[in-house]
Amino acid sequence: MTAETLDQAFVLSSYGRNSTSFVEGKGAKLYDESGKAYIDFASGIGVSSVGHGHPVLTEAICNQAKALIHTSNLQVIAPQAALAERIVTLSGYDMRCFFGNSGAEANEAAIKIARKYGETRFTQKRYKVITLEHSFHGRTITTVKATGQGSFHSPHFSPYPDGFLYVGQIDAVYDAIDEETVAVMIELVQGEGGVQPFEKAAIQQLARTLKEKGILLIVDEVQTGVYRTGTFLASNLYEIEPDVITLAKGLAGGVPIGVAMTSLKDIFEPGDHGSTFGGNFLSTRAGLAVLEVLEQEWASGALTARIAQFGGYLAALQKRHSDLFSAQVGLGMMLGLRAVSSEVQQHVLSAAFEAGVIVLKAGRNTVRFLPPLTITKEEIDEGFKRFEKAITAL
Ligand SMILES: Cc1ncc(COP(=O)(O)O)c(C=O)c1O
C-alpha cells in the first residue's frame, strides 16, 4: 500500500491534505517521492527555522539521541536548563521558563499562570482573559476558546471553558476590561488570522495601561518568536515588557517544543503544572542548536539581508500583479500577499505548489510566506522565479 492509501485508511481526517508525500529535504528544498524538488517558502508552517537537514541541528540531535533522549522532569535536565538560560538572555527579560511540546501547550501554561495570578494576587478572584478577533492560540478546548474566531468554536466540541472574550481591535480592549479581567492575550502579528501586524504605538499604550492596572499582558509569540520577525522576539521590536510570552514552532527546528516564559518567576509551585515530554533532552538540545545557528545569522546581518531580499521580491511582485494582490503585509520573514479574493488565494496556492514552490494560506484571502530563516539567496531567487511563473499563467 502507498503512503496515501495507508493515510486514508488509518489516519483520522482532521486535515485537508493533498496527496504529495515528501521524502527528503535539504536547506529550503523538499523532494517528493517522484524526485520533484520544491522550494519551501512555508517551513512546515514556521517550524523548520534552519531549513531541512541543517548540519548543526542534525548533528546535535544525533549526538543527543545516542547519549540520552528522555528521563523525566523529576530530575534536572541539563540542556533544558541551558536552553532556558539562552532564551531568557536573548529575550533581555527577567523571566523563567516552563517547557511543553507545542504552541497550544505553551498557551495553556500561560493561561494557568494568569489564572493563578488572578486567584492569588487579588482580593476578589480574577479569571477573564481578553483576546482579539482573528487571533489564533491553539486547538485544545481552552486555547481554541481563547482563539477569537467563531469558525473554530464548533458546537461539536462544546461546552468550552468560561472566561474568554474577544474584541475587534486594540483600542476596544480598554472598554472590555472589568473587575474580573486578569489578562490580555495577543499576537503582535496575527499569523493564521492574515499576517497582520499591530501598530507599535497602540501596543505600547496597551502595555502601559495594563501594567498600571495590574492586568497581565500575555504575548503569544508561537509564530512570531525565535527571529521570525527579524529579532529574537517581536516583543523586542515593539519595545514592550510582557508578563508572559509563549514560544514554540521554530524554536527546535521541527522537534516538538513549547515554552511559556514569565516575569512571575515564583508563580508555580511543585504540582501546579507539568508535562511528561516537555523540555526533554532531545527537544531542548535541538533548541540550543537552533539558537546557536540563528543567533549567528542574526548577529552577522545575514538574516536582515535575507529579509530585505525576500521583502523586496514581494513588494515588486505585488506591484506587477496588483490585479491579483492588493497589498503586501507582515513583518520580517513573516510575510503575506493579500489576494483580491479567496478564490484567487486558492488558485495561487495550487498553482504555486504545481510549479514547485510551497506557500501557505492565512485568513480568508492572504497568501503567506514563512521561509526557513537560513534560506539562501539562490533559493529565494529560484522560489520567486517559480512563483511568478505560476501566477502569470493564472
Ligand atoms: C500564534 C499561534 N499560537 C498558537 C498556535 C498553536 O500551536 P500548536 O499548533 O503548536 O499547538 C499557533 C499555530 O499555528 C499559532 O500560530
Side-chain angles (χ1 to χ4, degrees):
M1 282 213 263
T2 64
E4 191 187 359
T5 50
L6 287 170
D7 179 77
Q8 281 167 0
F10 296 108
V11 179
L12 284 172
S13 318
S14 58
Y15 301 101
R17 286 193 165 134
N18 79 23
S19 58
T20 307
S21 169
F22 295 117
V23 290
E24 209 188 330
K26 188 136 195 59
K29 285 209 183 77
L30 281 169
Y31 300 89
D32 72 12
E33 285 170 317
S34 72
K36 177 175 168 182
Y38 297 75
I39 299 291
D40 186 1
F41 278 177
S43 309
I45 323 190
V47 168
S48 310
S49 50
V50 295
H52 305 285
H54 193 289
V56 174
L57 178 59
T58 50
E59 200 188 321
I61 291 173
C62 290
N63 289 341
Q64 188 60 56
K66 281 185 209 149
L68 194 55
I69 294 176
H70 180 88
T71 56
S72 83
N73 274 303
L74 300 177
Q75 290 84 33
V76 172
I77 299 170
Q80 181 185 117
L83 182 58
E85 185 279 329
R86 285 318 302 139
I87 292 170
V88 169
T89 301
L90 289 171
S91 76
Y93 302 126
D94 184 18
M95 293 188 170
R96 291 168 81 188
C97 301
F98 173 85
F99 286 87
N101 310 283
S102 66
E105 273 183 77
N107 287 336
E108 286 274 350
I111 294 162
K112 282 181 82 171
I113 289 168
R115 291 253 175 123
K116 185 164 180 193
Y117 171 83
E119 165 75 26
T120 55
R121 306 290 168 95
F122 298 92
T123 39
Q124 191 193 331
K125 181 180 168 71
R126 290 178 171 232
Y127 70 102
K128 287 185 190 159
V129 178
I130 300 171
T131 71
L132 290 167
E133 283 168 17
H134 308 295
S135 59
F136 186 81
H137 298 297
R139 294 289 203 148
T140 61
I141 292 279
T142 302
T143 57
V144 90
K145 182 65 174 163
T147 294
Q149 300 189 52
S151 57
F152 283 101
H153 305 158
S154 161
H156 295 317
F157 310 118
S158 65
Y160 294 95
D162 281 347
F164 294 96
L165 65 155
Y166 322 107
V167 296
Q169 54 216 353
I170 297 291
D171 284 354
V173 169
Y174 303 104
D175 284 342
I177 291 173
D178 65 21
E179 66 287 351
E180 291 180 315
T181 305
V182 72
V184 174
M185 177 150 125
I186 54 170
E187 299 153 86
L188 296 172
V189 184
Q190 289 188 329
E192 305 301 310
V195 202
Q196 187 57 53
F198 287 105
E199 205 201 312
K200 186 170 174 180
I203 295 292
Q204 290 185 332
Q205 179 57 51
L206 176 69
R208 268 194 301 274
T209 305
L210 296 180
K211 204 63 96 198
E212 277 161 27
K213 291 181 182 291
I215 295 171
L216 302 182
L217 174 60
I218 303 174
V219 179
D220 177 344
E221 295 231 30
V222 165
Q223 198 163 144
T224 54
V226 195
Y227 296 101
R228 177 53 63 188
T229 61
T231 54
F232 181 58
L233 298 176
S235 297
N236 301 136
L237 266 185
Y238 277 73
E239 299 177 284
I240 51 167
E241 296 208 356
D243 303 285
V244 187
I245 298 172
T246 55
L247 304 173
K249 286 194 181 284
L251 179 57
V255 184
I257 196 164
V259 176
M261 55 196 287
T262 180
S263 54
L264 299 166
K265 287 162 70 176
D266 298 315
I267 192 81
F268 282 157
E269 289 160 39
D272 272 342
H273 197 39
S275 162
T276 297
F277 294 112
N280 80 7
F281 282 83
L282 193 70
S283 64
T284 51
R285 177 62 67 202
L288 283 166
V290 165
L291 291 187
E292 184 190 323
V293 173
L294 294 182
E295 243 186 288
Q296 174 56 28
E297 294 289 320
W298 180 79
S300 68
L303 176 59
T304 313
R306 248 168 242 140
I307 289 172
Q309 190 201 357
F310 208 97
Y313 259 118
L314 274 188
L317 202 116
Q318 188 273 321
K319 282 206 188 78
R320 275 199 302 281
H321 298 274
S322 53
D323 54 323
L324 298 176
F325 306 114
S326 58
Q328 184 203 337
V329 288
L331 197 61
M333 276 296 208
M334 185 170 172
L335 296 166
L337 288 172
R338 200 78 85 223
V340 293
S341 68
S342 44
E343 289 74 36
V344 167
Q345 176 201 43
Q346 203 46 56
H347 286 141
V348 168
L349 288 171
S350 317
F353 197 83
E354 190 55 36
V357 55
I358 308 167
V359 293
L360 294 161
K361 70 188 274 235
R364 272 182 304 105
N365 60 350
T366 304
V367 177
R368 180 169 41 152
F369 299 79
L370 296 172
L373 301 175
T374 49
I375 191 168
T376 64
K377 180 180 177 306
E378 292 70 33
E379 287 165 337
I380 296 176
D381 290 339
E382 179 59 27
F384 276 106
K385 202 166 106 194
R386 294 180 187 197
F387 189 76
E388 177 112 36
K389 199 166 155 210
I391 59 172
T392 305
L394 281 180

